[in-house]
């Protein structure tokens, strides 16, 4: 079967892709930028890659004529203020593009929407479901709540809160009930619902066996990690304060924090377990999902992460638009130093940021990250998904990877911190020297003042980093 997989660079799709290939399907991976798509070599013979942006109908002409079924896994998670309209437009364009192709099924992963009053985020998911159902194809909707898995936003937020705060004074939405589900079970439901006629034209709630409050989930994580934690719930905390509380303590972006807080006031509990019975699937419990997830994290086997999505940073356009570093009207700090071992130098560059840090003046990087958080930026807590691998589009603390080529010996990063301008950081090996270039394109007078204010620290930060990389 030829299966269209939309959102192929996303968190869920990257987990589902190997399972579809294992089942013998040819998977047409739909991405906005093929340079950001890095499937394992073992899968490539079973894949076709198509560039398409469902926000722009003009880009959909390259979709193949013959497709047997499709997965709709496009979610904005509040990429902008008008995310509800954006999600609906994506769904409408997808429906129109699939019209008349004779699809046997479309599968959509949505959120649990059983309450009368829904958050903007959950209401948007329901709108998308209604729009997709208007197509000439049978629609199967799977509705999930909190997904527990290595790299998922929900898991990372739980881990940040529990591991950083021995005592929590938390908003009252921590008493809201939800039904978490492990990522492995989400993939099983998506995989085994494919081309099952009994699921056509129906929606199903999927969840694990445990119905827990968010407070119980946090304490459950503490138990698995062997940590003692105390959580107090205060009756009064505005949504805005709650969003700031989540944003400053965890690695999430403010937009995502706001969206999550809005949704956390709504109970997300399954109506029934009809699909589990139909497919003969027994989901694992919350603690077991945590144990499996932590094993993946500890073995550095995280396949995908929400942090590598563009919406976790400041990008509102294609990464490729920033890959040509400007020179006119820019301030440039370029340094170079000889190295003795090329392979070792590259290895150090490719491990930069995250758990490794920035090799020099760590305290200054932390201060800059804290200041960025105060100004509404991403800060340093976002880290990186893999300790020793970088791909185009990956997040590295408050930077985004624009270009990464080990053979060429070149890494280009773009700053996603709050700045009065735009900044690039480039590492390039030329003969036996490492060239390290920081470029800043100021925006107005404030940008120029900023450059001269931080310039005295460059000698300490950039010089020390260059020495460590070439040592």
């Amino acid at each position: 079967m030829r299966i269209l997989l939309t959102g192929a660079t996303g968190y869920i799709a990257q987990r589902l892709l190997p399972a579809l290939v294992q089942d013998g399907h040819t998977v047409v991976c739909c991405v906005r930028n093929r340079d950001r798509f890095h499937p394992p070599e073992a899968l490539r013979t079973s894949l076709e890659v198509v560039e398409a942006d469902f926000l722009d109908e003009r880009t959909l002409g390259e979709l193949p004529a013959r497709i047997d079924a499709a997965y709709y896994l496009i979610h904005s998670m509040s990429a902008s203020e008008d995310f509800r309209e954006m999600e609906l437009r994506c769904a409408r364009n997808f429906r129109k593009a699939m019209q008349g192709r004779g699809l046997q099924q479309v599968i959509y992963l949505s959120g649990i929407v059983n309450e009368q009053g829904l958050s903007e985020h959950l209401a948007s998911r329901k709108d998308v479901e209604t729009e997709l159902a208007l197509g000439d194809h049978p629609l199967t909707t799977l509705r999930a709540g909190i997904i527990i898995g290595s790299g998922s936003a929900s898991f990372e937020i739980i881990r940040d809160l529990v591991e950083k705060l021995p005592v929590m004074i938390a908003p009252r939405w921590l008493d809201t009930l939800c039904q978490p589900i492990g990522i492995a079970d989400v993939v099983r439901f998506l995989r085994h619902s494919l081309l099952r006629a009994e699921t056509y034209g129906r929606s199903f709630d999927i969840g694990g066996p445990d119905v827990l409050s968010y407070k119980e989930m946090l304490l459950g994580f503490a138990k698995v990690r062997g940590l003692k934690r105390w959580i107090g719930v205060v009756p009064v905390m505005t949504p805005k304060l709650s969003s700031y509380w989540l944003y400053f303590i965890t690695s999430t972006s403010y937009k995502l924090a706001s969206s999550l807080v809005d949704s956390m006031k709504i109970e997300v509990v399954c109506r029934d377990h009809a699909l589990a019975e139909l497919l003969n699937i027994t989901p694992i419990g919350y603690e077991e999902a945590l144990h499996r997830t932590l094993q993946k994290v500890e073995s550095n086997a995280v396949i995908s992460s929400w942090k590598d999505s563009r919406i976790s940073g400041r990008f509102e356009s294609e990464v490729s638009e920033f890959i040509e570093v400007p020179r006119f009207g820019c301030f440039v700090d370029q340094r170079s130093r000889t190295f003795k071992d090329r392979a070792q130098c590259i290895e150090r560059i490719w491990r930069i940021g995250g758990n490794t840090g920035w090799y020099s003046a760590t305290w200054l990087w932390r201060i800059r990250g804290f200041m960025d958080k105060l100004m509404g930026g991403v800060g340093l807590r976002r880290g990186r998904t893999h300790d020793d691998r970088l791909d185009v589009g990956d997040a590295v603390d408050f930077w985004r990877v624009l270009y990464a080529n080990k053979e060429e010996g070149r890494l280009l990063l773009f700053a996603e911190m709050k700045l009065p301008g735009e900044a690039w950081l480039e590492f390039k090996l030329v003969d036996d020297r490492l060239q390290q270039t920081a470029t800043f394109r100021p925006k107005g007078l404030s940008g120029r003042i900023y450059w001269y204010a931080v310039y005295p620290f460059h000698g300490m930060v950039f010089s020390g980093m260059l020495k460590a990389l070439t040592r």
Side-chain angles (χ1 to χ4, degrees), residues 55 81-92 124:
L55 281 172
E81 296 299 325
D82 59 347
F83 73 93
R84 191 169 177 178
E85 188 278 329
M86 286 174 60
E87 290 206 329
L88 190 57
R89 182 159 29 119
C90 275
R92 185 176 297 117
S124 174

Side-chain angles (χ1 to χ4, degrees), residues 80-273:
S80 68
E81 296 299 325
D82 59 347
F83 73 93
R84 191 169 177 178
E85 188 278 329
M86 286 174 60
E87 290 206 329
L88 190 57
R89 182 159 29 119
C90 275
R92 185 176 297 117
N93 289 340
F94 172 85
R95 176 181 61 79
K96 290 179 180 177
M98 295 298 106
Q99 204 80 3
R101 292 175 184 265
L103 264 68
Q104 296 180 45
Q105 184 187 27
V106 170
I107 299 177
Y108 170 50
L109 180 62
S110 182
I112 293 178
V113 288
N114 298 329
E115 296 295 302
Q116 284 295 107
L118 296 175
S119 66
E120 278 288 300
H121 175 61
L122 290 175
S124 174
R125 295 288 170 92
K126 195 168 184 179
D127 290 345
V128 168
E129 182 180 337
T130 302
E131 178 63 38
L132 294 177
L134 297 176
D136 61 358
H137 45 254
L139 175 67
T140 301
T141 302
L142 307 189
R143 298 170 173 172
I146 297 293
I147 297 176
I148 303 300
S150 54
S152 81
S154 303
F155 171 75
E156 296 297 341
I157 287 171
I158 291 169
R159 181 166 66 157
D160 276 349
L161 288 173
V162 175
E163 297 197 350
K164 291 174 182 175
L165 298 176
V167 176
M168 280 181 245
I169 306 299
R172 61 185 175 187
W173 47 253
L174 248 65
D175 290 329
T176 304
L177 294 178
C178 63
Q179 197 161 351
I181 181 171
I183 181 63
D185 286 325
V186 173
V187 171
R188 289 169 71 199
F189 279 117
L190 288 168
R191 177 184 189 179
H192 295 296
S193 296
L194 182 62
L195 302 177
R196 290 289 296 261
E198 311 96 302
T199 69
Y200 293 176
R202 299 176 64 183
S203 64
F204 301 92
D205 293 347
I206 57 173
D210 303 314
V211 177
L212 305 167
S213 68
Y214 290 107
K215 179 179 177 180
E216 289 172 326
M217 289 174 65
L218 292 171
L219 292 175
F221 184 93
K223 177 184 174 183
V224 169
R225 291 285 286 143
L227 300 169
K228 292 185 180 295
R229 293 295 183 260
W230 184 88
I231 302 174
V233 177
V234 294
V236 181
M237 189 176 280
T238 66
K240 194 158 191 174
L241 274 176
S242 296
S243 300
Y244 277 121
W245 179 79
L246 206 60
Y247 164 68
F248 276 112
I249 294 169
T250 72
S251 58
T252 184
S253 66
Y254 180 74
K255 287 179 181 177
L256 181 56
S258 298
S259 183
L260 289 172
V261 165
D262 195 29
S263 297
M264 283 173 172
K265 296 177 290 184
I266 312 298
E267 286 194 357
V268 283
V269 178
C270 297
R271 296 163 294 181
D272 53 46
H273 296 281

